[in-house]
Amino acid sequence: MSFSDAANGQCLATANGLCVNLGLSSVPETTLWTLHNRVSVASDLFKDWFVDDKAVEIYRAIDYDYEQSFGKAMEIFGIRSWLFDQGVLEFWKKNPGGGTIVNFAEGLETQRFRPGIIAGRPEGSLWITVDLPPAIKAREQFIMPDDENLHVTASVLDTG
């Protein structure tokens, strides 16, 4: 079954036994692909350098055949996420009074929930997620915005 089946009314993923219409298509479908890859590292007890409990929680809440759609998970995405974490932490070290992180096409990325990010985040910092409307809709089924973490629906192709 593919994500195009969602338009035909078929349930592609469930959470807590209920159909979850993630409303994803070819571009935002990568939200599940990268989640699949990050969780493969985060759930490996021998890779304690990458802890991402929120990603594991979301992954387990969605009853979806990731391997059928995306194949075997690739560790490189966990490594890439860890490297991005290091970049954010370095930015905050240089800007201890706060600073704004703008994350484009974040999808179901859970970076702001990882222990190192939580510990290193200065008071007054702002995290802005910019993504396509279907991706924000999917995100907000698991991750809600708040005063320090904003969600903006937009496309880089928007002209006005």
Side-chain angles (χ1 to χ4, degrees):
M1 193 177 319
S2 70
F3 276 93
S4 61
D5 294 330
N8 300 327
Q10 295 181 351
C11 184
L12 302 180
T14 61
N16 300 319
L18 301 173
C19 183
V20 176
N21 179 1
L22 295 176
L24 301 176
S25 60
S26 60
V27 173
E29 181 179 0
T30 60
T31 62
L32 292 177
W33 180 54
T34 57
L35 177 69
H36 172 56
N37 289 299
R38 285 191 330 275
V39 167
S40 73
V41 177
S43 59
D44 185 332
L45 298 176
F46 295 105
K47 295 182 176 111
D48 59 356
W49 50 268
F50 187 71
V51 177
D52 196 342
D53 294 339
K54 185 68 171 177
V56 173
E57 172 191 321
I58 293 169
Y59 184 84
R60 289 180 178 161
I62 300 172
D63 182 18
Y64 180 78
D65 192 344
Y66 296 89
E67 290 209 7
Q68 180 182 343
S69 294
F70 309 120
K72 185 174 170 26
M74 294 180 280
E75 184 177 275
I76 190 68
F77 288 93
I79 295 168
R80 182 185 77 162
S81 292
W82 181 86
L83 289 170
F84 274 100
D85 289 356
Q86 304 318 300
V88 168
L89 292 169
E90 184 64 29
F91 170 76
W92 280 335
K93 283 180 189 172
K94 293 178 181 177
N95 298 280
T100 300
I101 302 296
V102 180
N103 198 332
F104 292 96
E106 194 169 23
L108 292 174
E109 172 59 60
T110 51
Q111 184 175 28
R112 69 179 167 110
F113 295 96
R114 291 197 277 272
I117 296 296
I118 292 169
R121 186 173 184 169
E123 189 174 326
S125 63
L126 181 63
W127 195 288
I128 302 173
T129 297
V130 180
D131 214 329
L132 298 171
I136 292 289
K137 181 179 176 185
R139 181 176 182 77
E140 290 183 352
Q141 293 192 44
F142 303 99
I143 302 169
M144 294 304 296
D146 58 35
D147 291 343
E148 297 177 337
N149 303 281
L150 307 179
H151 293 171
V152 177
T153 57
S155 168
V156 295
L157 301 177
D158 289 346
T159 58

